[in-house]
């Protein structure tokens, strides 16, 4: 983790207290200097999972930049007397970095999702910007014994930026294990962002994003797959925050 950047500890997880613009500036400087940065975003669900999954926790805290993806984390920090300046959503950061790649001449490797989805993402960005920003792409459906070859394929592409759209904790553990092989200046897990960019999944309206209801919009779109996950993780997150608030008020650390 970058120790020279302001950070807080929220539910036993370090999170950098920086804005979107500050994050992009740090990443741009790192790419220009060819110094690798491993980036991750955390939300309520990931913080809950980290408590019971040591491999996921280790993979997250070993990252160089940790941004708060969920608005709920910004609110939780405020309740606990800490400050996160704003939410830095993974998909918004990805979009900013694609634009940055176009203007700065950086190349991007897209890894994850199904082949039709990642192909649609590449086609969209190549059309919106230029095909020159594409270093390569492949789907995220590979076996454990294929991981080393995938890492070598990314390294051979000479990409400056790597976006990985796979589920947690698979993407975090894969990147933590192979980032030195991949040797890309900027590495970032982007979750389900490829589904949104490709048009497979619609993103919540801006007012729902700002109100912390983006998770609810996702549940409405995929109720069978998402309702239980968000019900459990959101409930556990709220309980942990309230417990932390109580301990602070009565003087426990």
């Amino acid at each position: 983790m970058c120790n020279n950047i302001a950070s807080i500890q929220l539910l036993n997880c370090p999170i950098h207290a920086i804005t979107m613009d500050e994050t992009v500036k740090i990443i741009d400087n790192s790419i220009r200097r060819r110094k690798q940065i491993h980036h991750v975003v955390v939300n309520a669900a990931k913080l809950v999972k980290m408590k019971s999954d040591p491999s996921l926790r280790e993979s997250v805290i070993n990252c160089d930049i940790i941004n708060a993806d969920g608005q709920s984390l910004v609110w939780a920090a405020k309740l606990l007397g800490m400050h996160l300046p704003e939410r830095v959503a993974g998909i918004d950061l990805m979009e900013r970095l694609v634009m940055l790649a176009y203007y700065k001449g950086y190349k991007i490797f897209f890894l994850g999702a199904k082949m039709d989805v990642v192909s649609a993402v590449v086609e969209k960005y190549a059309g919106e910007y230029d095909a020159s920003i594409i270093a390569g792409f492949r789907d995220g459906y590979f076996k454990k014994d294929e991981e080393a070859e995938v890492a070598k394929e990314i390294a051979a592409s000479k990409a400056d930026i790597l976006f990985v759209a796979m589920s947690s904790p698979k993407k975090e553990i894969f990147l933590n294990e192979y980032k030195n092989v991949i040797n890309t200046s900027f590495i970032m897990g982007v979750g389900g962002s490829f589904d949104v960019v490709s048009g497979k999944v619609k993103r919540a309206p801006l007012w729902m994003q700002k109100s912390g209801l983006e998770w609810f919009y996702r549940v409405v779109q995929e109720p069978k797959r998402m309702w239980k996950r968000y019900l459990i993780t959101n409930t556990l997150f709220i309980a942990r925050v309230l417990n932390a608030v109580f301990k602070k008020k009565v003087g426990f650390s």
Side-chain angles (χ1 to χ4, degrees):
M1 183 175 175
C2 294
N3 295 321
N4 59 336
I5 307 173
S7 65
I8 66 168
Q9 282 280 338
L10 181 62
L11 301 183
N12 203 30
C13 177
I15 301 175
H16 285 112
I18 52 178
T19 65
M20 174 70 77
D21 288 343
E22 289 169 335
T23 302
V24 172
K25 184 177 180 180
I26 293 167
I27 294 165
D28 186 23
N29 288 337
S30 179
I31 295 173
R32 286 192 290 105
R33 293 163 54 204
R34 299 299 299 172
K35 182 179 179 182
Q36 189 181 73
I37 280 186
H38 183 185
H39 174 278
V40 70
V41 292
V42 291
N43 54 22
K46 192 171 291 183
L47 287 184
V48 168
K49 288 179 183 177
M50 286 170 61
K51 185 178 173 70
S52 58
D53 189 334
S55 296
L56 175 60
R57 173 175 167 71
E58 181 182 359
S59 300
V60 169
I61 66 174
N62 281 339
C63 288
D64 302 294
I65 298 179
I66 305 172
N67 281 134
D69 187 308
Q71 186 64 35
S72 59
L73 273 63
V74 177
W75 293 336
K78 187 175 181 180
L79 276 174
L80 290 164
M82 297 179 288
H83 177 64
L84 287 174
E86 65 180 6
R87 173 194 184 197
V88 180
I91 186 169
D92 294 333
L93 178 57
M94 184 179 81
E95 299 264 47
R96 284 282 300 270
L97 293 176
V98 172
M99 184 185 299
L100 180 74
Y102 173 68
Y103 285 111
K104 294 294 185 78
Y106 301 148
K107 293 185 178 295
I108 308 169
F109 195 103
F110 296 84
L111 172 67
K114 294 181 178 179
M115 183 53 76
D116 63 321
V117 172
V118 68
S119 297
V121 171
V122 168
E123 184 178 348
K124 179 180 184 296
Y125 284 142
E128 188 174 342
Y129 296 102
D130 191 271
S132 62
I133 68 170
I134 311 298
F137 65 96
R138 67 156 292 156
D139 66 80
Y141 290 84
F142 49 88
K143 298 176 182 178
K144 181 70 179 175
D145 60 6
E146 297 175 304
E147 288 182 349
E149 285 304 313
V150 172
K152 290 176 184 177
E153 178 185 345
I154 298 165
S157 75
K158 304 296 184 182
D160 301 293
I161 297 170
L162 169 64
F163 294 132
V164 182
M166 300 190 303
S167 60
S168 293
K170 182 179 179 180
K171 68 175 177 292
E172 288 85 1
I173 294 172
F174 168 74
L175 291 174
N176 190 46
E177 184 172 353
Y178 289 101
K179 60 186 175 185
N180 291 333
V181 177
I182 292 168
N183 199 31
T184 302
S185 294
F186 181 73
I187 300 171
M188 176 184 178
V190 296
S193 297
F194 287 5
D195 287 338
V196 176
V197 174
S198 69
K200 182 180 178 182
V201 174
K202 290 183 179 180
R203 194 174 181 194
L206 189 59
W207 72 267
M208 294 188 81
Q209 296 175 37
K210 291 183 176 180
S211 302
L213 293 172
E214 195 162 10
W215 65 271
F216 180 72
Y217 191 83
R218 184 123 183 246
V219 171
V220 170
Q221 289 191 81
E222 301 179 90
K224 290 183 179 180
R225 191 165 77 91
M226 293 294 180
W227 78 268
K228 189 175 182 179
R229 186 177 100 180
Y230 279 114
L231 175 65
I232 293 172
T233 56
N234 284 0
T235 301
L236 289 173
F237 176 75
I238 291 168
R240 288 186 64 194
V241 171
L242 293 177
N243 183 53
V245 170
F246 173 75
K247 284 184 176 181
K248 185 176 181 181
K249 285 185 176 179
V250 297
F252 287 107
S253 58

